[in-house]
Amino acid sequence: MVAASMMLITNGKIITWGEPAQVLDGQAILVSNGVIQEIGPQPDMARSHPETDRLDAKGGYIMPGNICAHTHFYGAFARGLAIPGPAPKDFPEILQKLWWPLDKSLTLEDVHASAQVMLVDAIRNGTTTLFDHHASPNAIEGSLDVIGEAVAKSGLRAVLCYEVTDRDGMDRAKAGIAENQRFIRRVEQENPAGGRLRAAFGLHASLTLSNGTLQACRDAVGEGVGFHIHVAEHEADEYDSLAKSGTRVVDRLERAGILGEKTIVAHAVHIDAREASLLERSATWVTHQPRSNMNNGVGVASVESLLRLGVRVGIGTDGFSHTMWEEWKTAYLLHKVWNRDPRRFSGYDVIQTGVYNNAALANAYFNGLNLGSLTPGAAADLIIVDYHPHTPLTESNLPWHILFGFNESMITTTIVNGEILMRERVLTTMDEEAIAAHARELALKVWERYQTFVP
Ligand SMILES: [Zn+2]
């Protein structure tokens, strides 16, 4: 880790986010002990801190690192994997033919390697805090420590959980519960990775959880712990819940005590109005993953309606590359074509979900760090973007500059907690080539095992 205890970031334009967002010109940022100490006019700052190390932003934009509200590091080995037989015709078949045999193929070594690959991707693409949802049914115990180790080495922040499910039998459901319980306790007691790790309690989805297992998960942890679960990604989840419990998924989770102000439900594509209202009343978080939803052909979540109702909707990648601006752009375009109305899901909606709500979610877990905004006292989690627009960029048109001008390949520098994780596009904490080479070796064995599990 390149531990810059103190640095002055100069020669950049600062996008603060925060509300209201500001674009500051001619100002410098003083960072020490992982925190933004001061933002002020560059000449004054330079004069009062002559000895401090400089980080030259070279005229680019300095802004908070992006936040990913829902991802799966374990999905790394899916890239380029051949699914045998005819292509899956719907989402339940995608689970059966791709994700479930793939997660069974993972050893702890594979889990570590896939996390490393995804963390390299996150640093490169300026995503500094990630909410991961993990599955490896043949390597459950210790899997969260292994991911945690990779996160610690990378220098990023992450909230980890293990997805409990009944689909591999009761012993593994119990092992999943124990893994969440153990890791939640470990994070509370040991504060590993210098406080850059947090834990949630993972659940796969209503459709693979019995009433008994849901109850056991609820009983396993105290009230203050948040759950992280897929909800109504496909109609199958609702049909299963109606058959199993006589009620819809969100009602079922509410009865089981799973909703709440730290709980995250991913997707919510097929929920109805009452379910939306239950999410709002319980202050449960919803995450939107438009690239994944489009890829799986599952439909489009009613994100604008949820926002109008007061539901806190954020944006995740669901294991796609951690290019958050790509995900924002996809949301921006998808809701327009889906509704055949170019006014839908405006730049403001993009910022509300992708910036403000994701930051609020991150701060619900990383209490007191003030993630997602550049302001004195906030954690120094920031990126530098080599963007030189040919039209004026102001507070009022910033969302559209990002949607039509920004690209993750313009990110030159990624900093978390005041530590430089990428400088001038060179990673400092992770050996990118060695990680990719090791993963390519493991991938062959993962793919071989996958062929033995695929139906
Ligand atoms: Zn997911």
Side-chain angles (χ1 to χ4, degrees):
M1 199 97 39
V2 179
S5 58
M6 201 168 188
M7 76 181 138
L8 189 65
I9 310 175
T10 57
N11 299 328
K13 300 174 198 77
I14 303 167
I15 295 170
T16 60
W17 288 134
E19 293 181 77
Q22 288 181 292
V23 181
L24 309 173
D25 207 352
Q27 311 240 336
I29 302 178
L30 181 71
V31 172
S32 82
N33 296 321
V35 172
I36 295 171
Q37 302 295 343
E38 202 182 335
I39 298 176
Q42 184 162 314
D44 302 354
M45 299 276 280
R47 219 173 300 121
S48 41
H49 303 282
E51 302 296 319
T52 304
D53 284 347
R54 300 292 199 265
L55 181 68
D56 187 346
K58 299 183 175 169
Y61 285 86
I62 307 164
M63 60 198 297
N66 284 322
I67 294 164
C68 174
H70 176 78
T71 186
H72 303 280
F73 295 158
Y74 80 83
F77 290 114
R79 189 176 297 178
L81 173 71
I83 302 173
K89 71 174 184 307
D90 56 20
F91 182 63
E93 275 196 18
I94 291 173
L95 290 177
Q96 282 151 18
K97 295 181 76 169
L98 172 58
W99 296 112
W100 294 350
L102 179 64
D103 67 25
K104 283 193 188 72
S105 308
L106 301 174
T107 64
L108 284 183
E109 191 184 10
D110 303 325
V111 169
H112 186 250
S114 55
Q116 284 184 313
V117 167
M118 292 297 220
L119 293 162
V120 165
D121 170 78
I123 294 173
R124 276 222 165 275
N125 293 308
T127 299
T128 50
T129 298
L130 305 108
F131 287 74
D132 186 53
H133 195 269
H134 176 65
S136 53
N138 286 319
I140 298 174
E141 198 189 337
S143 58
L144 296 180
D145 297 317
V146 160
I147 300 168
E149 253 172 60
V151 172
K153 178 79 173 55
S154 74
L156 292 165
R157 299 185 199 277
V159 179
L160 308 182
C161 70
Y162 187 89
E163 60 151 71
V164 175
T165 177
D166 291 333
R167 70 173 184 266
D168 303 307
M170 290 320 294
D171 286 349
R172 286 175 197 180
K174 283 190 187 134
I177 293 172
E179 181 64 6
N180 280 302
Q181 240 178 345
R182 188 189 61 72
F183 191 72
I184 288 166
R185 216 175 299 130
R186 189 180 159 217
V187 166
E188 278 168 5
Q189 290 171 357
E190 293 175 30
N191 198 24
R196 287 193 301 273
L197 282 174
R198 293 288 185 275
F201 193 108
L203 301 167
H204 170 243
S206 173
L207 86 165
T208 68
L209 290 162
S210 67
N211 289 338
T213 302
L214 268 183
Q215 190 60 50
C217 292
R218 177 61 280 179
D219 294 344
V221 283
E223 283 300 318
V225 172
F227 293 89
H228 187 172
I229 180 170
H230 296 108
V231 165
E233 184 169 2
H234 182 273
E235 294 92 330
D237 203 20
E238 294 289 5
Y239 299 155
D240 172 89
S241 176
L242 287 163
K244 222 150 44 185
S245 67
T247 188
R248 296 178 68 87
V249 172
V250 179
D251 294 74
R252 182 170 185 244
L253 296 179
E254 197 238 357
R255 283 184 198 171
I258 300 299
L259 304 183
E261 54 190 40
K262 282 185 83 177
T263 289
I264 303 163
V265 312
H267 301 300
V269 175
H270 296 282
I271 60 170
D272 73 2
R274 180 183 150 79
E275 292 177 286
S277 148
L278 287 173
L279 294 171
E280 188 272 327
R281 270 188 266 160
S282 58
T284 300
W285 301 91
V286 171
T287 70
H288 181 43
Q289 289 74 224
R291 285 185 295 183
S292 163
N293 295 161
M294 291 165 75
N295 185 48
N296 291 328
V298 294
V300 180
S302 300
V303 177
E304 290 169 293
S305 297
L306 291 172
L307 290 172
R308 275 165 51 74
L309 193 60
V311 177
R312 304 189 290 179
V313 185
I315 296 193
T317 60
D318 214 10
F320 272 65
S321 184
H322 298 96
T323 44
M324 294 312 299
W325 295 330
E326 270 309 301
E327 200 73 47
W328 302 3
K329 291 172 196 177
T330 306
Y332 181 78
L333 298 174
L334 171 62
H335 293 273
K336 289 173 176 55
V337 70
W338 178 251
N339 293 291
R340 299 200 66 248
D341 181 349
R343 293 167 296 188
R344 301 298 292 268
F345 211 74
S346 76
Y348 301 116
D349 292 325
V350 171
I351 300 311
Q352 185 61 48
T353 49
V355 177
Y356 296 138
N357 289 353
N358 275 16
L361 169 62
N363 287 314
Y365 278 82
F366 293 93
N367 203 350
L369 293 186
N370 204 355
L371 301 179
S373 67
L374 300 188
T375 176
D381 291 16
L382 53 91
I383 59 178
I384 300 176
V385 188
D386 185 26
Y387 180 59
H388 305 273
H390 59 266
T391 57
L393 186 159
T394 64
E395 282 92 356
S396 56
N397 69 15
L398 171 59
W400 293 271
H401 267 281
I402 295 177
L403 291 164
F404 293 97
F406 278 43
N407 187 296
E408 285 81 2
S409 66
M410 297 170 180
I411 297 168
T412 61
T413 301
T414 301
I415 296 174
V416 172
N417 208 38
E419 287 157 5
I420 300 174
L421 312 186
M422 179 170 76
R423 185 200 283 265
E424 297 295 332
R425 295 194 170 87
V426 178
L427 272 61
T428 62
T429 56
M430 304 187 89
D431 184 342
E432 193 175 4
E433 269 179 43
I435 287 167
H438 183 51
R440 275 195 303 274
E441 261 175 46
L442 294 177
L444 290 172
K445 292 178 228 159
V446 171
W447 288 1
E448 267 172 37
R449 284 192 294 274
Y450 163 82
Q451 292 297 337
T452 68
F453 289 119
V454 72

